[in-house]
PDB file of all heavy atoms in Angstrom:
ATOM      1  N   LEU A 114      47.379 -16.008 -53.510  1.00  0.00           N
ATOM      2  CA  LEU A 114      46.201 -16.592 -54.177  1.00  0.00           C
ATOM      3  C   LEU A 114      46.200 -16.344 -55.674  1.00  0.00           C
ATOM      4  O   LEU A 114      46.000 -17.214 -56.506  1.00  0.00           O
ATOM      5  CB  LEU A 114      44.865 -16.146 -53.581  1.00  0.00           C
ATOM      6  CG  LEU A 114      43.578 -16.592 -54.288  1.00  0.00           C
ATOM      7  CD1 LEU A 114      43.494 -18.101 -54.256  1.00  0.00           C
ATOM      8  CD2 LEU A 114      42.399 -15.946 -53.616  1.00  0.00           C
ATOM      9  N   LEU A 162      39.976 -24.168 -56.771  1.00  0.00           N
ATOM     10  CA  LEU A 162      40.029 -22.809 -56.265  1.00  0.00           C
ATOM     11  C   LEU A 162      40.198 -22.835 -54.684  1.00  0.00           C
ATOM     12  O   LEU A 162      40.932 -22.036 -54.137  1.00  0.00           O
ATOM     13  CB  LEU A 162      38.731 -22.032 -56.661  1.00  0.00           C
ATOM     14  CG  LEU A 162      38.612 -21.641 -58.127  1.00  0.00           C
ATOM     15  CD1 LEU A 162      37.261 -21.034 -58.357  1.00  0.00           C
ATOM     16  CD2 LEU A 162      39.719 -20.709 -58.521  1.00  0.00           C
ATOM     17  N   LEU A 163      39.494 -23.808 -54.119  1.00  0.00           N
ATOM     18  CA  LEU A 163      39.669 -23.890 -52.634  1.00  0.00           C
ATOM     19  C   LEU A 163      41.065 -24.263 -52.270  1.00  0.00           C
ATOM     20  O   LEU A 163      41.603 -23.805 -51.266  1.00  0.00           O
ATOM     21  CB  LEU A 163      38.601 -24.904 -52.063  1.00  0.00           C
ATOM     22  CG  LEU A 163      37.162 -24.541 -52.171  1.00  0.00           C
ATOM     23  CD1 LEU A 163      36.262 -25.702 -51.749  1.00  0.00           C
ATOM     24  CD2 LEU A 163      36.903 -23.348 -51.301  1.00  0.00           C
ATOM     25  N   ILE A 164      41.626 -25.208 -53.069  1.00  0.00           N
ATOM     26  CA  ILE A 164      43.018 -25.604 -52.803  1.00  0.00           C
ATOM     27  C   ILE A 164      44.002 -24.488 -53.001  1.00  0.00           C
ATOM     28  O   ILE A 164      44.936 -24.292 -52.205  1.00  0.00           O
ATOM     29  CB  ILE A 164      43.367 -26.830 -53.689  1.00  0.00           C
ATOM     30  CG1 ILE A 164      42.598 -28.068 -53.153  1.00  0.00           C
ATOM     31  CG2 ILE A 164      44.868 -27.076 -53.736  1.00  0.00           C
ATOM     32  CD1 ILE A 164      42.765 -29.322 -54.105  1.00  0.00           C
ATOM     33  N   CYS A 165      43.731 -23.641 -54.018  1.00  0.00           N
ATOM     34  CA  CYS A 165      44.614 -22.464 -54.212  1.00  0.00           C
ATOM     35  C   CYS A 165      44.557 -21.526 -53.011  1.00  0.00           C
ATOM     36  O   CYS A 165      45.542 -20.992 -52.571  1.00  0.00           O
ATOM     37  CB  CYS A 165      44.179 -21.692 -55.468  1.00  0.00           C
ATOM     38  SG  CYS A 165      44.652 -22.484 -57.034  1.00  0.00           S
ATOM     39  N   GLY A 166      43.358 -21.287 -52.437  1.00  0.00           N
ATOM     40  CA  GLY A 166      43.174 -20.476 -51.274  1.00  0.00           C
ATOM     41  C   GLY A 166      43.896 -21.095 -50.103  1.00  0.00           C
ATOM     42  O   GLY A 166      44.598 -20.412 -49.332  1.00  0.00           O
ATOM     43  N   ALA A 167      43.696 -22.411 -49.916  1.00  0.00           N
ATOM     44  CA  ALA A 167      44.333 -23.079 -48.745  1.00  0.00           C
ATOM     45  C   ALA A 167      45.841 -23.000 -48.857  1.00  0.00           C
ATOM     46  O   ALA A 167      46.561 -22.799 -47.858  1.00  0.00           O
ATOM     47  CB  ALA A 167      43.898 -24.553 -48.660  1.00  0.00           C
ATOM     48  N   ALA A 168      46.402 -23.201 -50.045  1.00  0.00           N
ATOM     49  CA  ALA A 168      47.837 -23.157 -50.217  1.00  0.00           C
ATOM     50  C   ALA A 168      48.379 -21.730 -49.929  1.00  0.00           C
ATOM     51  O   ALA A 168      49.454 -21.607 -49.289  1.00  0.00           O
ATOM     52  CB  ALA A 168      48.236 -23.564 -51.664  1.00  0.00           C
ATOM     53  N   ALA A 169      47.699 -20.704 -50.360  1.00  0.00           N
ATOM     54  CA  ALA A 169      48.120 -19.362 -50.076  1.00  0.00           C
ATOM     55  C   ALA A 169      48.107 -19.060 -48.563  1.00  0.00           C
ATOM     56  O   ALA A 169      49.096 -18.511 -48.018  1.00  0.00           O
ATOM     57  CB  ALA A 169      47.165 -18.382 -50.787  1.00  0.00           C
ATOM     58  N   TRP A 170      47.087 -19.497 -47.905  1.00  0.00           N
ATOM     59  CA  TRP A 170      46.964 -19.289 -46.436  1.00  0.00           C
ATOM     60  C   TRP A 170      48.091 -20.010 -45.726  1.00  0.00           C
ATOM     61  O   TRP A 170      48.754 -19.503 -44.853  1.00  0.00           O
ATOM     62  CB  TRP A 170      45.623 -19.765 -45.968  1.00  0.00           C
ATOM     63  CG  TRP A 170      45.365 -19.505 -44.531  1.00  0.00           C
ATOM     64  CD1 TRP A 170      45.021 -18.318 -43.930  1.00  0.00           C
ATOM     65  CD2 TRP A 170      45.565 -20.454 -43.461  1.00  0.00           C
ATOM     66  NE1 TRP A 170      44.917 -18.484 -42.558  1.00  0.00           N
ATOM     67  CE2 TRP A 170      45.226 -19.820 -42.246  1.00  0.00           C
ATOM     68  CE3 TRP A 170      45.949 -21.796 -43.443  1.00  0.00           C
ATOM     69  CZ2 TRP A 170      45.341 -20.418 -41.002  1.00  0.00           C
ATOM     70  CZ3 TRP A 170      45.978 -22.429 -42.215  1.00  0.00           C
ATOM     71  CH2 TRP A 170      45.662 -21.723 -41.004  1.00  0.00           C
TER      72      TRP A 170
END
Side-chain angles (χ1 to χ4, degrees):
L114 176 60
L162 289 174
L163 292 174
I164 288 174
C165 285
W170 184 82

